[in-house]
Amino acid sequence: DVVMTQSPLSLPVTLGQPASISCRSSQSLVYTDGDTYLNWFHQRPGQSPRRLIYKVSKRDSGVPDRFSGSGSGTDFTLRISRVEAEDVGVYYCMHSIRWPWTFGQGTKVEIK
Amino acid sequence: EVQLLESGGGLVQPGGSLRLSCVASGFTFSISGMSWVRQAPGKGLEWVSLFHDDGDIHYSDSVNGRFAISRDNSKNTFYLQMNSLRADDTAVYYCVKDRGDSWGQGTLVTVSS
C-alpha cells in the first residue's frame, strides 16, 4: 500500500500570513496516463471534508486562489498564501493512483 | 448542484448488520464512480470501498469480507451493506463521488452493546 506522510501534524498560523503543509508518498503517484493523482482536502470542525486540489495543482470549483498545490513524484506541498479565519481545521492529502486509496494523517491548522 | 444524502446509520450491537443508503442528485449517477469513506470519532479518514466508474469494486482490508457495496442506477442510490459489525467500525460514514469531488453530510454508525 502507498503510505502518505504529512508534516507538520499541527500548524499554528497567524492571520494574513502564509502557511504550507508537506505530504510525502511512499511510492510515485505518477500514473501510466501521465497524470499524478494527489489530492488535498480540508475539513472544518463538525463538517464533511471538501476537496480543494486534485492532480497536484488543480483547484476545485469555488476554491479561493490563495490555495495552491505543487510537487511531483513523491513530494507535494499545499500552500495558503494568506491565512484567513475560515481556513482552520484539518487538511489531508490523499492519493488515488491504485487501490487502496489512502490519506495522510492530517494536519491541524489553528490560529495563534 | 451535486447532492449526496446518506441514511441508515444508528446503534447496532456487535455482530449485527446495517445497510446505509446514499441518494444522489445533480449529476449523471450511472457513469460516476462512488465510494464510502469513514471517520472514527476524533480520528482521520479511511477510504473503505470504491465502486469504480469502470465497474471494478474494491474494499479496504479492514472491511473486506464483511461489507458489500452496490448501486441501483434506476434510483440514483448507492448502498453499503455492513455485516459482522465490530466496535472499531464505529464511525461517521460518508458517501463520496468519484475521487472525492463531492461528499455527503455523513451518517453515524455506532457499534456497541
Side-chain angles (χ1 to χ4, degrees):
Chain A
D1 297 0
V2 178
V3 177
M4 307 296 288
T5 304
Q6 292 182 227
S7 63
L9 299 185
S10 178
L11 183 59
V13 297
T14 301
L15 291 175
Q17 293 300 303
S20 68
I21 300 169
S22 173
C23 175
R24 189 164 287 181
S25 59
S26 60
Q27 301 171 31
S28 173
L29 300 186
V30 181
Y31 192 55
T32 53
D33 62 5
D35 282 327
T36 301
Y37 289 88
L38 185 282
N39 313 280
W40 288 97
F41 295 85
H42 176 217
Q43 185 176 31
R44 295 189 179 106
Q47 295 188 14
S48 302
R50 174 197 184 191
R51 196 177 70 182
L52 302 175
I53 302 283
Y54 64 99
K55 293 183 183 179
V56 179
S57 60
K58 301 180 185 299
R59 269 191 305 274
D60 274 279
S61 175
V63 174
D65 60 9
R66 65 179 181 274
F67 290 94
S68 64
S70 63
S72 62
T74 61
D75 287 298
F76 307 95
T77 302
L78 176 70
R79 290 186 175 85
I80 309 173
S81 59
R82 294 173 304 280
V83 173
E84 297 190 5
E86 65 181 16
D87 300 337
V88 299
V90 182
Y91 292 80
Y92 297 92
C93 63
M94 168 250 169
H95 85 85
S96 55
I97 188 173
R98 70 179 66 86
W99 189 255
W101 296 355
T102 53
F103 293 91
Q105 316 97 300
T107 295
K108 186 173 184 178
V109 171
E110 55 187 7
I111 304 299
K112 285 182 184 175
Chain B
E1 178 193 5
V2 172
Q3 290 195 335
L4 300 169
L5 185 61
E6 303 98 334
S7 62
L11 175 64
V12 61
Q13 292 189 337
S17 297
L18 213 55
R19 189 177 84 155
L20 306 184
S21 300
C22 170
V23 177
S25 60
F27 63 101
T28 307
F29 177 77
S30 61
I31 62 171
S32 297
M34 296 295 297
S35 295
W36 291 97
V37 175
R38 70 182 180 183
Q39 185 170 38
K43 302 297 184 182
L45 299 166
E46 180 188 9
W47 212 289
V48 170
S49 63
L50 164 67
F51 200 121
H52 209 279
D53 54 12
D54 63 7
D56 282 352
I57 290 177
H58 300 280
Y59 301 96
S60 66
D61 287 348
S62 60
V63 307
N64 196 25
R66 301 186 299 121
F67 290 12
I69 55 175
S70 60
R71 62 195 298 164
D72 185 338
N73 290 338
S74 69
K75 296 181 178 179
N76 280 10
T77 303
F78 184 53
Y79 301 100
L80 177 64
Q81 176 66 44
M82 303 185 293
N83 300 325
S84 302
L85 282 161
R86 312 186 302 221
D88 63 358
D89 294 318
T90 295
V92 174
Y93 285 74
Y94 295 100
C95 175
V96 180
K97 176 181 171 289
D98 288 327
R99 295 176 190 268
D101 60 77
S102 297
W103 295 60
Q105 85 288 349
T107 186
L108 176 62
V109 172
T110 303
V111 184
S112 175
S113 55

